[in-house]
Amino acid sequence: MLLFFMPVSREGNGLIMLVAGIKEAPEIMARIIECGCQVVVYPTNSSCRHHIIDAGLGCHLLPDHNLDLMQFVNDQEVKIVIDASSESSSGLFEAINQITPAPRYIRYYREELELPVSPLLFTVYSFADAVDKLVEIGARNVFLTTGSYCLDSFCNDSRLQGTRFVVRVLPDWKIVKKCQDIGIPIHDIVAMQGPFSRKINKTLFKTYNADVVVTRDSGKMGGADTKISAALDLNLTIVVIKRKTSQQYPTACGIKQLMDLIQR
């Protein structure tokens, strides 16, 4: 049974809040609960919320509206905030450090890939660098598989005026509306729930006549491996956005590392 938020006990190791936007959120929750810790979950998108509800783990699920997240952290004396949002930079670390005393912050990432060597593959370390690379190679028909985050960085850059962007995003009406508000035509919005097989990726890239694919390195769990292999099979240029490491806060790549950090 899954419960919506009510005041929770803060006995034991204290309350953990999981801010989650990825498919493996229920597995992370289950491991935390197994350790005897109390956890509340704030899903950042409807797809993740549905995954959590379907898992039926009996945790406290926070509402996605009319909630001041930082006020909740402060009032409930949350001890650890785990940031498993899908965005490269959620701004959560900066926000919780405005609280006194600030809870521990742990950033959760999926394990990245060991990328193949290919003259068609370019590695960058930010969305801005990815835009610069598209300008440099003269991209004309770009298939973006980076989600809805930072879409305007690509679509509103004057140097890429005339470039067609096809975007693959979660099938959430709010996200589809965001794409339309940015100016992406409805026929260039692919609203589908991934990850996708190599075959499906190849079909989509061919259907939309892509000459460049852009992806984040979200590891095998996020389907980055099949996107990269599909693009290379079709001799398409692929720009892979890898993450920068931060010295400001602890990071966990995978659930085992995360549990080690929690239990310290």
Side-chain angles (χ1 to χ4, degrees), residues 8-79:
V8 294
S9 167
R10 293 188 289 273
E11 297 176 356
N13 296 325
L15 186 62
I16 295 174
M17 184 173 74
L18 173 64
V19 179
I22 53 178
K23 186 178 181 180
E24 59 268 34
E27 185 180 354
I28 296 172
M29 290 161 46
R31 292 291 298 277
I32 294 172
I33 293 169
E34 284 173 10
C35 291
C37 299
Q38 290 184 302
V39 59
V40 294
V41 187
Y42 179 75
T44 62
N45 58 63
S46 61
S47 177
C48 184
R49 181 172 291 272
H50 290 313
H51 283 309
I52 293 167
I53 291 172
D54 290 345
L57 294 173
C59 69
H60 291 269
L61 182 67
L62 298 178
D64 59 359
H65 60 281
N66 298 327
L67 175 69
D68 185 329
L69 201 58
M70 292 306 103
Q71 189 67 49
F72 172 84
V73 170
N74 191 41
D75 291 347
Q76 295 298 316
E77 299 178 14
V78 172
K79 299 302 182 186

Side-chain angles (χ1 to χ4, degrees), residues 88 107 109 112 124-129 241-247 249 251:
S88 297
R107 187 64 163 105
Y109 291 117
E112 291 190 316
V124 297
Y125 290 89
S126 70
F127 282 89
D129 289 346
I241 306 171
K242 295 184 77 71
R243 61 176 173 263
K244 294 178 180 177
T245 57
S246 174
Q247 304 301 318
Y249 45 77
T251 59

Side-chain angles (χ1 to χ4, degrees), residues 39-175:
V39 59
V40 294
V41 187
Y42 179 75
T44 62
N45 58 63
S46 61
S47 177
C48 184
R49 181 172 291 272
H50 290 313
H51 283 309
I52 293 167
I53 291 172
D54 290 345
L57 294 173
C59 69
H60 291 269
L61 182 67
L62 298 178
D64 59 359
H65 60 281
N66 298 327
L67 175 69
D68 185 329
L69 201 58
M70 292 306 103
Q71 189 67 49
F72 172 84
V73 170
N74 191 41
D75 291 347
Q76 295 298 316
E77 299 178 14
V78 172
K79 299 302 182 186
I80 302 175
V81 174
I82 301 169
D83 186 355
S85 53
S86 56
E87 294 84 1
S88 297
S89 178
S90 67
L92 191 56
F93 173 71
E94 292 77 13
I96 68 168
N97 274 285
Q98 302 301 312
I99 299 170
T100 305
R104 286 177 61 202
Y105 174 90
I106 301 172
R107 187 64 163 105
Y108 175 86
Y109 291 117
R110 290 163 165 166
E111 295 183 63
E112 291 190 316
L113 299 172
E114 183 175 339
L115 298 178
V117 177
S118 170
L120 295 172
L121 190 151
F122 297 94
T123 301
V124 297
Y125 290 89
S126 70
F127 282 89
D129 289 346
V131 171
D132 289 342
K133 181 57 67 174
L134 294 181
V135 173
E136 177 187 325
I137 63 180
R140 304 307 301 164
N141 203 359
V142 180
F143 199 108
L144 290 175
T145 69
T146 51
S148 60
Y149 183 70
C150 279
L151 274 182
D152 53 341
S153 298
F154 294 95
C155 302
N156 294 335
D157 193 295
S158 60
R159 298 172 297 168
L160 292 171
Q161 189 173 9
T163 300
R164 179 194 184 197
F165 288 99
V166 177
V167 299
R168 188 166 69 192
V169 295
L170 290 172
D172 182 315
W173 72 267
K174 294 179 184 177
I175 294 175

